[in-house]
Amino acid sequence: MVHPTGEWESDTVRLDFDRRLMLQFRGSVVTSDAGLLAYRELDDAIGLTVMAGEMLADARTGKNGRHDLIGMLRQSVFGRLAGYEDVNDAERLRHDPAMRWIVGGKAAQGCAASPSQMGRFETQWLPAEKNLSALADLSGQWIDRVHARRPPRGVVLDMDSSVSPTHGEQEMSVWNGHYECTCYHPLFVFNQFGDLERCALRPGNVHSADGWESVLKPVIERYRGKVLRIYFRADAAFAMPGVYECLEAEQIKYAIRLPANQVLQNRIGYLLKRPVGRPPNEVRRYYANFTYQAASWTKPRRVVAKVEWHPGELYPRIGFIVTNMSRPAERVVAFYNKRGTCEQWIKEGKGAIKWTRLSCRTFAANAVRLQLHALAYNLGNFLRSLATPEPIKDWSLTSLKEKLIKIGAKVVSHGRYVVFQMAEVAIPRHMFQEILRLIAELRPPPIPAPA
């Protein structure tokens, strides 16, 4: 029989292959997620979840036994960061000592919220219009807090859509012919540091650029007057006159892939003839610049073309980019090609944070889940970009989850202190101390005492 605190009444389990080995299950005094404490330290240093508590409205009434809203938000965000993407995991997670101390308040000495409480929190309270709007803005507010500690001179914004397959009767989940599945079709904007600036959940059958204004314009508004230069990159789905005009009005430099057509190919016809002589073993690249105006455009714009001849291929690979940048064509192409990191960050969100798990029935509840996943992703990326020592600087979020977050620890309580006796496997003591030192440098300087 299972004990309420996660322990077994029988206390000991023996292994037949060697009877000297005994297993004891002490769920309330052992944790497998002790590394989350480093992320909680970062949260405290920058004041992230406290800010969230100020933005979210708590419509609950009554005082008896209720969990603090900030604590429930921490349980949602930190649980997703550790890989517990479903509220069903809250039944065990509420007794986990690391999670209880991360949540804080009454949970530290008691237990965190139950699955039913977390379910109401995520599907009834947060989907309210005011709270859902605040959640959508919260990722950007968190990034502003981080930039206040380490101000960037310029920002590069990458916009892309993705797919979140659905497997039930979720509201507004529709068949998408491109992805060949029933899904949602979320839209994301990242910066060059890998932070998720803003995201939005959309029905599965919308165009890749559908609703781009509501996602991109708030990000531009936040950065107006704060940085010297803003750059924008996107694939051919966003090659639209409205996007160009918006970026040009804001004086934002952009590079957007342009779908090929016969007019564009005729402009570079001299590069499409097979070169004379024996083909070399290396790739040959050629670039071209010209001015082009489509029928739907109000003015001509600069187009950069790249033509690649690959060994063993009969026809060249051709790409066009529309841009308002003045740098040479080769550098424009190199700048655009770095957009591939945006796709890598989307893959990290899918793999490490599991933000494709949108299994609620209503669309609003799934939109909340996406925003909570986005907050967990950003918290993980903040620690990676701001507080990781050099040996683990290039680790992915998945590696950090498996090696840093998943540190096992035994919890020993004394009269005045609680000690987490942490394992040293992938992350030794000196490296964990270095992470905490880097986090400490992010704290604001203490306010001097009055004279």
Side-chain angles (χ1 to χ4, degrees):
M1 180 178 178
V2 179
H3 193 272
T5 60
E7 301 173 11
W8 287 84
E9 288 186 354
S10 59
D11 193 47
T12 301
V13 176
R14 286 185 175 271
L15 297 174
D16 289 335
F17 80 89
D18 192 327
R19 299 296 291 177
R20 293 173 296 177
L21 297 179
M22 295 186 297
L23 308 180
Q24 294 184 342
F25 293 83
R26 301 292 183 89
S28 60
V29 296
V30 177
T31 178
S32 62
D33 301 311
L36 278 178
L37 296 173
Y39 292 84
R40 179 66 181 90
E41 183 76 357
L42 177 65
D43 168 30
D44 183 69
I46 307 178
L48 300 178
T49 53
V50 171
M51 175 198 293
E54 297 170 352
M55 296 176 63
L56 298 175
D58 190 350
R60 297 173 294 172
T61 59
K63 301 292 183 180
N64 294 332
R66 65 185 251 173
H67 291 274
D68 187 78
L69 184 142
I70 297 178
M72 298 182 75
L73 180 69
R74 286 176 184 151
Q75 188 170 343
S76 288
V77 173
F78 282 84
R80 284 170 167 80
L81 185 59
Y84 305 106
E85 71 276 4
D86 200 298
V87 296
N88 295 333
D89 299 311
E91 182 57 43
R92 284 290 181 181
L93 204 58
R94 66 189 303 220
H95 301 293
D96 184 88
M99 182 57 68
R100 288 192 286 110
W101 282 96
I102 285 169
V103 170
K106 297 178 181 179
Q109 302 299 332
C111 59
S114 67
S116 60
Q117 291 167 325
M118 293 303 300
R120 288 193 297 272
F121 174 69
E122 295 186 8
T123 62
Q124 296 180 21
W125 304 332
L126 291 183
E129 183 177 353
K130 182 178 180 180
N131 281 337
L132 184 53
S133 176
L135 280 176
D137 294 334
L138 194 54
S139 287
Q141 300 296 330
W142 280 17
I143 293 171
D144 287 345
R145 275 286 178 91
V146 171
H147 287 176
R149 304 294 196 277
R150 305 259 180 100
R153 297 189 62 185
V155 173
V156 180
L157 301 176
D158 290 297
M159 176 171 272
D160 203 356
S161 64
S162 184
V163 58
S164 293
T166 55
H167 306 283
E169 297 298 326
Q170 287 100 315
E171 189 177 35
M172 294 190 186
S173 67
V174 188
W175 175 265
N176 187 299
H178 176 75
Y179 294 110
E180 298 183 345
C181 66
T182 302
C183 62
Y184 289 123
H185 195 183
L187 184 61
F188 302 95
V189 176
F190 293 86
N191 62 31
Q192 73 267 35
F193 308 109
D195 305 324
L196 179 52
E197 294 277 355
R198 197 175 183 90
C199 63
L201 189 65
R202 305 175 300 174
N205 61 345
V206 300
H207 184 267
S208 294
D210 188 75
W212 66 268
E213 302 101 322
S214 62
V215 178
L216 180 61
K217 288 184 176 180
V219 179
I220 296 174
E221 180 67 27
R222 278 185 29 244
Y223 281 115
R224 185 179 291 124
K226 295 181 180 179
V227 293
L228 295 177
R229 181 69 70 181
I230 302 177
Y231 298 89
F232 178 83
R233 293 182 295 221
D235 63 17
F238 300 89
M240 304 164 59
V243 176
Y244 309 147
E245 293 165 3
C246 171
L247 297 172
E248 290 163 356
E250 297 289 344
Q251 298 183 341
I252 296 174
K253 299 296 183 180
Y254 61 83
I256 302 174
R257 190 174 182 89
L258 194 62
N261 59 47
Q262 193 59 50
V263 175
L264 293 173
Q265 293 196 14
N266 289 340
R267 297 293 299 271
I268 59 168
Y270 64 96
L271 296 177
L272 304 183
K273 297 179 180 179
R274 195 164 195 56
V276 178
R278 185 182 297 274
N281 294 325
E282 69 275 0
V283 177
R284 288 175 292 183
R285 294 182 178 88
Y286 303 95
Y287 301 91
N289 281 287
F290 55 90
T291 301
Y292 169 74
Q293 181 176 359
S296 59
W297 297 3
T298 58
K299 65 177 183 179
R301 293 181 171 91
R302 181 191 181 197
V303 172
V304 171
K306 181 182 73 169
V307 178
E308 290 184 344
W309 290 91
H310 287 252
E313 296 184 7
L314 184 60
Y315 298 102
R317 303 180 187 180
I318 308 169
F320 298 97
I321 298 172
V322 58
T323 183
N324 61 349
M325 303 170 70
S326 59
R327 62 183 64 179
E330 188 172 354
R331 290 183 57 197
V332 171
V333 172
F335 171 78
Y336 173 82
N337 287 344
K338 293 180 181 178
R339 195 194 66 83
T341 56
C342 172
E343 298 177 357
Q344 181 61 36
W345 293 324
I346 291 176
K347 290 179 181 178
E348 284 201 328
K350 291 179 177 180
I353 310 298
K354 302 291 193 303
W355 67 27
T356 57
R357 188 177 176 88
L358 305 175
S359 54
C360 294
R361 184 182 62 82
T362 66
F363 183 80
N366 283 318
V368 167
R369 288 177 64 89
L370 179 64
Q371 299 298 337
L372 292 171
H373 280 105
L375 295 177
Y377 169 88
N378 277 333
L379 180 58
N381 195 63
F382 292 158
L383 187 133
R384 175 172 62 177
S385 59
L386 298 174
T388 48
E390 198 60 38
I392 63 173
K393 200 73 175 176
D394 297 326
W395 280 13
S396 66
L397 293 185
T398 300
S399 295
L400 287 171
K401 182 181 76 173
E402 294 174 350
K403 298 179 181 180
L404 174 58
I405 293 177
K406 296 298 180 181
I407 294 178
K410 178 182 178 181
V411 183
V412 180
S413 298
H414 300 287
R416 296 176 58 188
Y417 302 101
V418 175
V419 180
F420 279 72
Q421 298 177 346
M422 304 177 70
E424 294 185 83
V425 181
I427 304 293
R429 172 181 175 176
H430 69 86
M431 189 174 292
F432 202 94
Q433 287 180 317
E434 180 65 11
I435 292 173
L436 297 181
R437 185 191 67 79
L438 293 170
I439 292 174
E441 292 180 353
L442 298 172
R443 293 185 178 274
I447 300 175

